[in-house]
Amino acid sequence: MIDVLVVDDDFYVARINAHYVSEVPGFRVAGIAHSAAPALAAVERGGIDLILLDQHLPNESGLSLTRRLRQLGHDIDVIMVTADRRPASVREAMRAGVLHYLVKPFTSQGLRSKLEAYAQVRGTIDDGTEMDQARIDRMLGSLRTPETAHCMPKGYSERTAELISCIVTGAECQVSAQEVSEQARISRSTAQRYLKYLAETGTLEMTLRYGDSGRPEHMYSGG
């Protein structure tokens, strides 16, 4: 059984998320907290495997709490649940070691898919069997979102593809390769290469925008 701590400053949302967790076989709600301090206290008491963690909490952000847990040596996995779609926030979450980044609002099925993927990875690691490259690839593949879960071509990074996908799908309007390169902090040519690939696989949609020069510019949006 995987014990989950649900952390959200909204009491109603916390109850809903806890209900979602309780409906997934193999998972149990070990506690609910509404700010960082009681969440940390619950972890220190023990018995927590996974935290379903909101980003916006009173006095301390979810990412700050995640970093503090790492510094204190707590071996706790984190799934971030937040309405924050900013590319910088997604990037920081990835760097902090967050396993999944689930954007609010989400459905019970959306959370279930993340939890089931987590359970699969945990089971693979916990069985103690030495892993070859194929098994490692399958394990990491189960953590990927459906949009990027297919096999990546040689020379492409799954993490970069996911970051670019998050930037584009989280934007309020269509974005260009130049805008993506600036937000992802990668070269424009690299952004173009990934955007073209993601559009070809159906993850993103590409349209043409004609400016004053008459030369069309490729624009991208969520698929």
Side-chain angles (χ1 to χ4, degrees), residues 7-86:
V7 183
D8 199 295
D9 65 334
D10 187 309
F11 284 65
Y12 176 75
V13 171
R15 288 197 301 270
I16 292 295
N17 290 347
H19 176 68
Y20 286 168
V21 171
S22 68
E23 290 186 318
V24 182
F27 288 84
R28 175 173 57 200
V29 177
I32 296 176
H34 303 292
S35 63
L40 178 59
V43 170
E44 291 179 335
R45 287 194 297 269
I48 304 295
D49 301 306
L50 173 68
I51 304 178
L52 199 63
L53 182 61
D54 186 22
Q55 164 67 338
H56 297 292
L57 298 172
N59 303 319
E60 183 175 6
S61 71
L63 282 179
S64 175
L65 175 60
T66 300
R67 295 190 191 96
R68 193 146 64 100
L69 289 170
R70 302 287 182 251
Q71 292 170 355
L72 293 171
H74 293 295
D75 186 19
I76 302 292
D77 294 317
V78 175
I79 294 178
M80 188 69 67
V81 290
T82 175
D84 190 346
R85 296 169 176 258
R86 293 175 299 172

Side-chain angles (χ1 to χ4, degrees), residues 117-134:
Y118 170 76
Q120 183 177 347
V121 169
R122 187 180 176 90
T124 300
I125 293 174
D126 289 350
D127 71 3
T129 304
E130 185 173 334
M131 292 187 285
D132 58 16
Q133 187 63 56

